[in-house]
Amino acid sequence: MSQPSCPDAEMYRAVLSALPDAVVVADSAGALLFCNAAAEALLPGGIGGIGGIGGIGDHSDYQVLDQQYRPLAPSDLPLGRVLAGQCLHNKELILAVGSPPKTRWVVCSGGPWAGGALLTLRDISAAKQQEASLLQQAFYDPLTGLPNRHLFIDRLGQALARAHDEPQNIMALLVIDLERFKIINDNLGHKVGDEMLVELGARLLSQSLPEYTVARLGGDEFAILVEDLDSRASAIDLAEKIYAIVQQPFLLQQQQVYASASIGVALGPAAYQNAADWLRDADIAMYQVKARPDQGWHVFDSSLRVQQDLRVQTEIDLRQAIDRGELRLHYQPIVTISNEEICGFEALVRWQHPTRGLLLPGEFIHIAEASGLIIPLGWWVLAEACRQMQVWTEQYPAMAEFTVSVNMSSKQFSQQHIVERIQQILDETGFVANRLKIELTEGVLIDHSDSIIATLEQIKALGIKLLVDDFGTGYSSLSYLHRFPFDCLKIDRSFIENADQDFEKLEILQSVVRLAWNLGLDVVAEGVETPRHHAQLKALRCELGQGYLFSRPLAPAAVEAMMTEKTTPLSDLPAVTQPT
Ligand code: C2E
Ligand code: MG
Ligand code: MG
């Protein structure tokens, strides 16, 4: 840019060239009169771009954009506005320089000067970048780069605000939770777990249009907000698509890893005043999938809220149930398959609810698990089972060898001093350790994979037998059997149920029994309901069985009646509790 000469020009130029801000002076026609060094660096094509007629050449190498990155209208360009008599105060603008354009943020101030215009521009790109990275940290998840929970809730709020103007719009909020992500993290390492989350984020984006908001709410929970749907069916379509893409194997460090998701959908906006309620309902729907995972997604409806209220009330009542003595144990006989003699019981908890009657575990165990109440409940069960068995041992000589199996929850294994606690119960009740069996599901092993072996060994050292419950319903069942010190394996009833029709199930059943033998484990078959089941298990030479064919779980009085009368064939005993 050529500089006009004027008195004291040297001094002005020296002062101005030392200034970090760009200074530009134009005449009343918008032609450049003066610019300092910073202006030359900042406005590579002259002042044409900011609304003057330019300096060198007749085009500019940059474009001026507003804060939304839209080009300014010619009448809004800074120089033009000042020449039209306006003053500018710290107006933030963006210069897009070169091709492909690099953006620089500037603040521009200016006003009329000597019939023309004086403008200053300061490059604030560094400060803006810092601000953006702070924003990024505050509102985006560093692992996946997706919006985080804060930003997502903010977007939900904005969507609700917009929805007031167009209440007929259908919006969908999907909450997506990976199933058993912890297993992957624990077994394959956090690095693989992280890779999986990144890949999942990318897959969710691939199913989304640009106007959807895809966020990571935390851990293995993601969410999608869709603001403009044509129907409820398209929300379900999206949920199904997402369910399907999560099922596809993830290739992580050269291994194929399979995952699944629970997807809760809550449709808005009409029902919602605030984002928190909306998110809560999507969560409720998601938990519905976890409770009954027959399909991978569930759409919230208000009956779920009634269920949720019942759940909350059940939790409140359950807190008092132990102290009020409302819990009961029923005892289901375990028999030898070969001659149908009872050799022990499984103790199963029931709750004599003051208004709802006798409740089965299916109605409250999951609530006890989720709320942590399973811990006091579990200890009560163990103590009561040992106490009752000891009383019976003294009362009925025939029961002297009977064992009792007690279910213990994974949550109990998060506690300290669990072994001492078990020992204390045995001491206090006088029940001998070698007649006690503890039933664990694979969940316990998964939740505590590092620490559990030592605890299990200590429990075994007391003389207690350890049993894997519901075998065959969990994950990598076979590898667990090798790693953990079990004595016995209880085959889930789903295997027994179908083994008489489904040849494949029968094969599996057969190989599980054989595998157990090879590992030196006893086998108990659960859910023996028909003479055919019984015959099949006999043929497989499975030792022990438990099921409605032999007896339902019995209240203590029914056990006593059976022991006194002795003659009652087990299968003719009255049903004391309803089947689950
Ligand atoms: P589980 O440990 O697998 O117990 C066996 C369940 O199968 C019992 O259900 C029993 O009544 C049922 N069952 C037994 N034979 C048959 C049969 O022939 N056919 C059918 N269809 N079902 C049969 P229940 O008593 O409803 O208990 C359900 C689950 O609740 C138990 O499954 C166990 O996981 C849990 N549970 C029960 N008591 C406790 C407890 O004291 N502590 C913990 N942590 N969980 C418990
Ligand atoms: Mg059990
Ligand atoms: Mg079981």
Side-chain angles (χ1 to χ4, degrees):
M1 285 179 231
S2 60
Q3 300 292 335
S5 63
C6 72
D8 302 323
E10 282 312 313
M11 189 189 77
Y12 289 142
R13 223 168 274 135
V15 171
L16 288 170
S17 68
L19 271 184
D21 290 0
V23 178
V24 173
V25 182
D27 68 12
S28 58
L32 182 70
L33 290 179
F34 171 82
C35 75
N36 68 352
E40 286 196 44
L42 194 62
L43 308 172
I47 62 169
I50 55 170
I53 58 173
I56 315 157
D58 53 6
H59 71 280
S60 294
D61 290 341
Y62 61 93
Q63 219 188 351
V64 187
L65 314 173
D66 67 14
Q67 296 189 34
Q68 274 73 49
Y69 291 84
R70 290 173 306 213
L72 283 190
S75 57
D76 282 337
L77 288 168
L79 187 53
R81 286 180 57 181
V82 172
L83 289 173
Q86 296 174 27
C87 285
L88 297 176
H89 290 290
N90 293 331
K91 184 155 180 57
E92 286 194 2
L93 296 168
I94 299 161
L95 303 179
V97 182
S99 162
K102 270 203 195 138
T103 51
R104 318 190 71 157
W105 281 79
V106 293
V107 276
C108 180
S109 299
W113 187 76
L118 168 66
L119 287 176
T120 64
L121 296 106
R122 175 176 303 163
D123 189 340
I124 55 163
S125 303
K128 275 284 170 189
Q129 239 161 29
Q130 205 175 12
E131 186 184 312
S133 96
L134 285 176
L135 276 179
Q136 181 77 23
Q137 281 168 29
F139 291 112
Y140 290 84
D141 166 45
L143 181 66
T144 58
L146 295 173
N148 64 13
R149 180 180 283 272
H150 288 303
L151 182 55
F152 190 72
I153 288 183
D154 184 63
R155 298 264 170 95
L156 283 180
Q158 287 177 20
L160 287 176
R162 273 194 294 278
H164 274 295
D165 305 332
E166 293 172 55
Q168 70 287 354
N169 262 11
I170 301 180
M171 300 185 182
L173 165 57
L174 283 77
V175 170
I176 300 132
D177 193 72
L178 268 187
E179 286 306 301
R180 295 279 180 176
F181 176 65
K182 193 172 177 331
I183 303 181
I184 291 158
N185 238 348
D186 287 353
N187 289 330
L188 304 178
H190 289 255
K191 198 157 167 269
V192 174
D194 282 355
E195 264 180 44
M196 182 160 192
L197 294 174
V198 171
E199 164 74 20
L200 177 61
R203 288 189 189 182
L204 295 180
L205 281 175
S206 75
Q207 296 302 311
S208 305
L209 297 175
E211 62 270 23
Y212 297 5
T213 304
V214 179
R216 179 175 174 219
L217 299 184
D220 56 358
E221 202 181 14
F222 291 75
I224 301 180
L225 170 64
V226 186
E227 289 190 43
D228 193 6
L229 278 174
D230 45 12
S231 67
R232 180 190 157 93
S234 15
I236 293 173
D237 277 352
L238 180 62
E240 272 179 349
K241 264 201 239 154
I242 287 173
Y243 185 63
I245 55 150
V246 179
Q247 309 280 110
Q248 281 165 17
F250 289 75
L251 188 64
L252 306 171
Q253 306 207 336
Q254 276 114 47
Q255 39 190 333
Q256 286 203 342
V257 178
Y258 288 85
S260 183
S262 300
I263 304 172
V265 184
L267 297 173
Y272 299 105
Q273 297 299 322
N274 62 57
D277 287 355
W278 197 359
L279 200 54
R280 178 207 56 207
D281 284 356
D283 269 338
I284 293 176
M286 188 262 286
Y287 281 112
Q288 189 68 12
V289 183
K290 287 190 188 291
R292 283 195 278 117
D294 45 345
Q295 79 185 354
W297 49 269
H298 197 96
V299 182
F300 179 83
D301 67 63
S302 47
S303 69
L304 284 184
R305 204 173 291 137
V306 175
Q307 282 179 35
Q308 175 75 2
D309 291 347
L310 178 66
R311 211 189 131 99
V312 170
Q313 190 56 48
T314 305
E315 185 181 325
I316 294 169
D317 294 349
L318 190 57
R319 283 187 188 281
Q320 302 169 338
I322 303 174
D323 294 338
R324 292 185 179 171
E326 292 168 3
L327 296 182
R328 306 278 180 268
L329 284 186
H330 284 191
Y331 296 84
Q332 185 173 34
I334 295 172
V335 306
T336 50
I337 293 279
S338 55
N339 60 8
E340 293 174 55
E341 275 182 10
I342 303 182
C343 56
F345 298 108
E346 176 172 8
L348 295 159
V349 69
R350 272 85 183 106
W351 175 11
Q352 188 63 54
H353 189 281
T355 55
R356 292 161 63 195
L358 190 72
L359 302 183
L360 290 173
E363 293 186 76
F364 61 91
I365 279 284
H366 60 291
I367 298 171
E369 286 276 353
S371 59
L373 288 170
I374 194 74
I375 293 176
L377 182 150
W379 289 118
W380 178 86
V381 169
L382 183 63
E384 173 56 17
C386 292
R387 185 202 65 79
Q388 178 67 82
M389 287 300 288
Q390 188 56 25
V391 169
W392 282 338
T393 305
E394 286 159 18
Q395 223 169 340
Y396 307 105
M399 282 177 77
E401 304 284 302
F402 280 18
T403 59
V404 70
S405 293
V406 172
N407 296 284
M408 276 183 74
S409 148
S410 168
K411 289 265 160 64
Q412 289 179 268
F413 283 83
S414 327
Q415 284 193 299
Q416 303 268 307
H417 310 303
I418 165 166
V419 184
E420 290 85 340
R421 189 102 188 242
I422 296 172
Q423 177 68 61
Q424 190 189 352
I425 288 174
L426 292 172
D427 292 345
E428 283 171 6
T429 57
F431 191 62
V432 292
N434 62 12
R435 291 173 57 203
L436 176 61
K437 296 184 177 181
I438 289 180
E439 301 199 359
L440 305 170
T441 56
E442 287 164 85
V444 183
L445 312 176
I446 290 159
D447 292 344
H448 308 278
S449 50
D450 305 328
S451 55
I452 193 93
I453 296 187
T455 311
L456 295 182
E457 296 282 7
Q458 287 169 10
I459 294 176
K460 261 185 83 143
L462 299 180
I464 296 167
K465 303 255 181 333
L466 294 176
L467 188 148
V468 200
D469 203 354
D470 305 334
F471 184 80
T473 54
Y475 282 75
S476 40
S477 319
L478 296 176
S479 68
Y480 285 128
L481 288 186
H482 285 288
R483 278 174 49 205
F484 298 98
F486 287 109
D487 302 281
C488 182
L489 185 150
K490 206 174 209 187
I491 304 175
D492 188 68
R493 71 164 174 266
S494 58
F495 283 92
I496 317 295
E497 217 166 58
N498 302 320
D500 47 0
Q501 294 130 27
D502 185 339
F503 185 68
E504 221 170 278
K505 281 260 150 127
L506 182 64
E507 291 254 284
I508 298 175
L509 186 59
Q510 222 159 7
S511 30
V512 170
V513 175
R514 228 173 279 139
L515 171 87
W517 278 353
N518 290 341
L519 293 170
L521 302 174
D522 291 339
V523 180
V524 187
E526 247 182 15
V528 185
E529 288 185 347
T530 65
R532 219 184 136 134
H533 291 157
H534 184 198
Q536 221 146 26
L537 292 164
K538 223 176 197 167
L540 289 176
R541 285 188 281 152
C542 175
E543 297 104 326
L544 300 172
Q546 172 183 356
Y548 295 165
L549 174 69
F550 308 119
S551 169
R552 289 177 182 258
L554 305 171
V559 173
E560 286 160 15
M562 173 179 81
M563 293 314 294
T564 319
E565 290 158 24
K566 268 206 187 142
T567 48
T568 319
L570 285 174
S571 49
D572 289 339
L573 279 171
V576 179
T577 56
Q578 295 299 307
T580 38

